[in-house]
């Protein structure tokens, strides 16, 4: 039965969010307001005034009665009205008391600009904990400390709660940055590109309000069309992944891969752990959640320009209109390399273009309207592409030929752009020191056409729009749960050692992974006995906990065909290793397979990374491997196979047969399940797994716990 009381009407537009007092403050107190021009306590007030803040400003200062022409109060308790937000700009030792005061005054959000906390060692950490305890007690949310603050460029607020110097015009891009320095220059870059901004947040030590929380807030903000994110790592990666997954489905999140050091990329070592590295984890988090990652801050800001004005294309088919040849070639190269296609035009389109274009024009894709082409020629080409069913986006190369009415061309582009049916990106080649062309540029800009001055830059921006379309439609599915697993399996707790091969092979078998038939022999007689049981030819491997790379040391003898050869191999290894606990792994010899690797490396505060690639003894040299964040779904495992450089090898080349991809995809998923079931696994390498036409079998494996 539905009772009256259980019916709730949720009115989204009027819903109050906990962070509203931070981002949409109706009144702000500046605790530590100062009359000194060159102080943060003065600059913050100056910025609020300069940006036409629409709410009330309350400078708090014990001695002054007025700061920058605004009435000041000795304490927040002297302010007669409610206060939404406070800036705290006082020495760190006074902060815990002030947070308590803020709580008592009913202030819900506080930006602590002051430094001297967790970034300063033990004493600072204690102070941070002290004010956090007060904040919790009184329900005050903390932004910072040691931070810049926030900006809300929405004219309803004009809240410039920050001490920086760039005053963005209102727009639809919101920024969240852990580093104030990077945040500020990104804001400046958007400003230079004449891109409007919506909100800005730079939260320094981020002791309470996290990047993830701000991200979710932007996700719910209707005025934010795209988000720029900058972080140098994740304090709580799982919380971030959850937030980013949610938001990235709704709107583009543009982020930069940072910490991509040469050292990281070149990390060459003997196992999966060092083939990975922290930087890879960040990239994989971006990939898993659908964040668009950029190689550099410039590409990211240029793409933001496209996202701020253009719709998302429905697919990867682009039509090019150009009035000059070469730049269209450069653009095409870049467009194709980011996965876009240039389909041929329909007969209907060709007929219309033949009638409407100049006789010298080239009819096709690209459509070359030639340099003498004017507004009507651009227009007919634009209309045709807008109506072409197999075109999803339009790329324009527009050089301002001195003998054409370039303003007329620009006006036509703008008119079509206003329809917002398909994204339009314009590579605009001109000389902006010439008045006439400045006017043309202004028409395009005011008309919301994203203009770039290099064909490659423009093409990359269109590529980013397309990438978001892929992200939105990509469904990696749920990780498979294999039920044919021996659930009696248990693993020792973990002490940083490698498990003996016998344990490793048993674990793999319990998880339904095929392992080459094996026995552990203590001496020559046992080795011969087992070799007979397994069936010749066999492989003999030296087995001792200290042996990691057996073949480097002569601990692997392959293609052993009879008892005599078994004895020879065993004797040789005994002589070589002189190890009391030395045993011998007798294994079925499996020649002719492709040697592949599947690896695992555990991460702090994050699910383990799974690696796949070309295996064998050259893995560190070739480094043709790919990582994914577990749990890995079937689709992701398929992507791993198809994205290694040598993926074509798996299909078979030059008369060689291909491998059974299905069985490899299954091994990857089973390993993903195994490491998620047993978090004590720190590292694991199946190297090699031998891939054949019909099946894939593990011949060597290590597990570190
Ligand atoms: P390690 O990695 O410790 O040096 P492996 O067991 O991986 O030792 O063996 C090294 C190489 O020997 C493998 O890359 C593979 O080429 C070959 N090999 C090992 N076991 C077999 C086997 N059972 N069948 C065929 N070749 C094998
Ligand atoms: Mg090996």
């Amino acid at each position: 039965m539905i009772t009256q009381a259980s019916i709730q009407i949720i009115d989204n537009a009027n819903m109050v969010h906990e962070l509203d007092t931070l981002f949409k403050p109706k009144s702000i107190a500046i605790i530590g307001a100062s009359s000194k021009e060159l102080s943060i306590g003065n600059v913050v007030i100056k910025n609020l005034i300069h940006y036409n803040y629409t709410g009330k400003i309350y400078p708090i200062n014990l001695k002054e009665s007025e700061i920058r022409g605004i009435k000041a109060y000795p304490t927040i308790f002297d302010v007669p009205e409610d206060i939404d937000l406070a800036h705290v700009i006082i020495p760190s030792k006074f902060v815990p008391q002030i947070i308590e005061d803020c709580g008592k005054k009913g202030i819900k959000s506080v930006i602590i600009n002051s430094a001297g906390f967790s970034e300063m060692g033990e004493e600072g950490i204690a102070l941070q904990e002290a004010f956090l305890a007060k904040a919790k007690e009184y329900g005050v949310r903390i932004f910072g400390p040691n931070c810049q603050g926030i900006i809300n460029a929405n004219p309803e607020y004009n809240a410039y709660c920050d001490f920086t110097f760039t005053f963005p015009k209102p727009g639809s891009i919101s920024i969240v940055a852990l580093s104030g320095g990077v945040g500020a220059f990104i804001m400046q870059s958007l400003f230079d590109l004449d891109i409007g901004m919506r909100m800005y947040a730079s939260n320094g030590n981020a002791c309470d309000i996290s990047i993830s929380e701000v991200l979710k807030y932007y996700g719910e903000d209707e005025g934010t069309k795209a988000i720029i994110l900058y972080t140098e790592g994740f304090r709580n990666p799982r919380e971030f992944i959850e937030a980013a997954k949610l938001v990235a489905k709704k709107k583009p999140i543009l982020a930069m891969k940072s910490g991509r050091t040469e050292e990281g990329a070149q990390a060459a070592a003997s196992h999966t752990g060092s083939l990975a590295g922290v930087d890879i984890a960040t990239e994989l988090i971006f990939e898993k959640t659908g964040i668009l990652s950029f190689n550099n801050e410039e590409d990211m800001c240029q793409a933001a320009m496209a996202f701020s004005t253009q719709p998302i294309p429905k697919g990867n088919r682009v039509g090019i209109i150009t009035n000059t040849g070469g730049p269209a070639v450069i653009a095409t190269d870049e467009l194709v390399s980011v996965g876009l296609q240039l389909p041929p035009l329909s007969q209907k389109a060709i007929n219309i273009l033949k009638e409407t274009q100049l006789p010298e024009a080239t009819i096709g894709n690209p459509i070359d309207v030639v340099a003498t082409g004017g507004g009507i020629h651009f227009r007919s080409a634009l209309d045709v592409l807008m109506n072409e069913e197999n075109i999803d986006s339009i790329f324009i190369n527009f050089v301002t030929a001195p003998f054409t009415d370039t303003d007329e061309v620009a006006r036509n582009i703008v008119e079509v752009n206003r329809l917002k049916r398909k994204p339009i990106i314009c590579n605009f080649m001109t000389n902006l020191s010439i008045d006439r062309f400045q006017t043309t540029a202004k028409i395009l800009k005011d008309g919301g056409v994203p203009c770039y001055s290099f064909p490659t830059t423009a093409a990359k921006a269109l590529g980013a729009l397309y990438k978001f379309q892929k992200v939105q439609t990509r469904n990696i599915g749920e990780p498979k749960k294999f039920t044919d697993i021996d659930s009696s399996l248990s693993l020792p707790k973990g002490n940083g050692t490698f498990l003996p091969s016998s344990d490793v092979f048993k674990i793999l078998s319990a998880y339904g992974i095929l392992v080459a038939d094996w026995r552990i022999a203590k001496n020559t007689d046992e080795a011969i006995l087992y070799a007979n049981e397994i069936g010749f030819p066999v492989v003999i491997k030296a087995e001792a906990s200290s042996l990691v790379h057996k073949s480097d040391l002569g601990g692997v003898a392959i293609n052993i065909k009879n008892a005599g050869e078994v004895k020879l191999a065993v004797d040789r290894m005994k002589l070589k290793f002189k190890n009391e606990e030395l045993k011998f792994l007798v294994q079925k010899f499996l020649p002719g397979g492709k040697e592949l690797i599947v690896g695992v490396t555990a991460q702090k505060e994050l699910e383990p990374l799974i690696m796949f690639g070309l295996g064998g003894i050259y893995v560190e040299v070739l480094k043709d491997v790919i990582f994914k964040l577990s749990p890995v779904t079937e689709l992701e495992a398929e992507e791993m196979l198809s994205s290694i450089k040598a993926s074509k090898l798996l299909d078979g080349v030059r008369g060689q047969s291909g491998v059974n991809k299905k069985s490899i995809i299954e091994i990857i998923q089973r390993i993903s399940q195994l490491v998620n079931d047993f978090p004590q696994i720190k590292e694991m390498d199946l190297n090699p797994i031998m891939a054949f036409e019909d099946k894939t079998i593990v011949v060597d494996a290590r597990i570190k716990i």
Side-chain angles (χ1 to χ4, degrees), residues 550 616 687-688 700-701:
K550 301 173 288 296
N687 184 27
D700 185 33

Side-chain angles (χ1 to χ4, degrees), residues 541 548-551 556 595 616-617 685-689 699-702:
K541 299 181 188 178
V548 175
H549 292 302
K550 301 173 288 296
S551 54
V556 176
E595 299 197 18
I617 52 177
D685 285 307
L686 314 187
N687 184 27
I689 57 174
V699 304
D700 185 33
R702 310 184 297 129

Side-chain angles (χ1 to χ4, degrees), residues 37 71 277 395 411 519 592:
E37 284 267 342
K71 180 177 163 48
F395 186 97
R411 273 192 291 274
R519 307 277 192 287

Side-chain angles (χ1 to χ4, degrees), residues 323-386:
N323 62 352
T324 166
V329 178
I330 298 176
T332 304
D333 274 344
E334 182 62 30
L335 291 168
V336 169
S337 79
V338 293
L340 290 148
Q341 286 176 3
L342 280 74
L345 300 180
S346 68
Q347 195 53 52
K348 190 175 154 208
I350 291 170
N351 293 342
I352 299 174
L353 289 169
K354 274 194 176 141
E355 263 174 44
T356 53
Q357 294 296 320
L358 292 169
E360 322 65 284
T362 308
I363 312 295
N365 190 10
I367 305 169
D368 190 344
V369 300
V370 298
T372 43
I376 51 164
H377 305 105
F378 270 89
R379 181 56 177 262
S380 98
L382 279 162
D383 287 342
V384 160
L385 293 183
M386 275 292 168

Side-chain angles (χ1 to χ4, degrees), residues 517 519 524-540 557-570 585-591:
D517 197 4
R519 307 277 192 287
T524 313
D525 289 346
E526 270 189 22
I528 294 172
L529 177 76
Y530 293 151
N532 275 311
E533 277 178 26
I534 291 168
F536 287 102
V538 295
V539 175
I540 309 265
I558 60 167
N559 199 12
I560 305 285
K561 291 185 279 300
N562 52 50
E565 287 184 11
V566 172
K567 185 172 171 0
L568 252 169
V570 168
L585 175 79
V586 185
Q587 194 183 50
K588 184 77 188 161
F589 179 52
L590 298 168

Side-chain angles (χ1 to χ4, degrees), residues 11-146:
D11 180 357
N12 271 320
N14 291 324
M15 247 179 15
V16 190
H17 192 286
E18 205 189 356
L19 297 188
D20 279 349
T21 50
L22 173 68
F23 284 102
K24 302 172 178 175
K26 290 190 200 68
S27 51
I28 304 170
I30 291 85
I31 303 172
S34 164
S35 49
K36 266 189 276 160
E37 284 267 342
L38 295 180
S39 69
I40 294 180
N42 191 279
V43 171
V44 169
I45 298 173
K46 183 174 139 200
N47 284 351
L48 282 167
I49 298 169
H50 180 81
Y51 209 53
N52 295 317
Y53 172 53
T54 57
K56 289 208 172 113
I57 306 170
Y58 300 112
I60 308 294
N61 184 304
L62 273 175
K63 297 185 203 105
E64 310 280 343
S65 61
E66 181 183 293
I67 291 174
R68 286 203 165 265
I70 302 176
K71 180 177 163 48
Y73 297 85
T75 74
I76 44 174
F77 299 112
D78 301 305
V79 176
E81 277 146 281
D82 286 344
I83 302 167
D84 274 352
L85 171 68
H87 265 279
V88 170
I89 315 161
I90 55 171
S92 55
K93 62 178 178 198
F94 301 123
V95 171
Q97 179 57 50
I98 280 295
I99 297 301
E100 181 169 356
D101 290 354
C102 287
K104 286 182 176 153
K105 174 71 185 165
I107 298 173
K108 290 284 168 235
S109 291
V110 174
I111 295 172
I112 304 179
N113 298 106
S114 316
F117 298 98
S118 65
E119 80 283 4
M120 294 287 286
E122 253 171 62
E123 209 175 309
I125 293 172
L127 276 173
Q128 188 162 308
E129 274 163 13
F131 78 64
L132 266 176
K134 292 288 174 204
K136 288 237 160 67
E137 188 183 336
Y138 288 93
V140 179
R141 296 304 310 271
I142 305 290
F143 193 82
N146 185 26

Side-chain angles (χ1 to χ4, degrees), residues 46-48 50-51 160 164-169 187-188 191:
K46 183 174 139 200
N47 284 351
L48 282 167
H50 180 81
Y51 209 53
Y160 201 104
T164 47
F165 49 82
T166 307
F167 296 92
K169 65 171 194 189
M187 177 159 62
Q188 180 65 38
F191 182 84

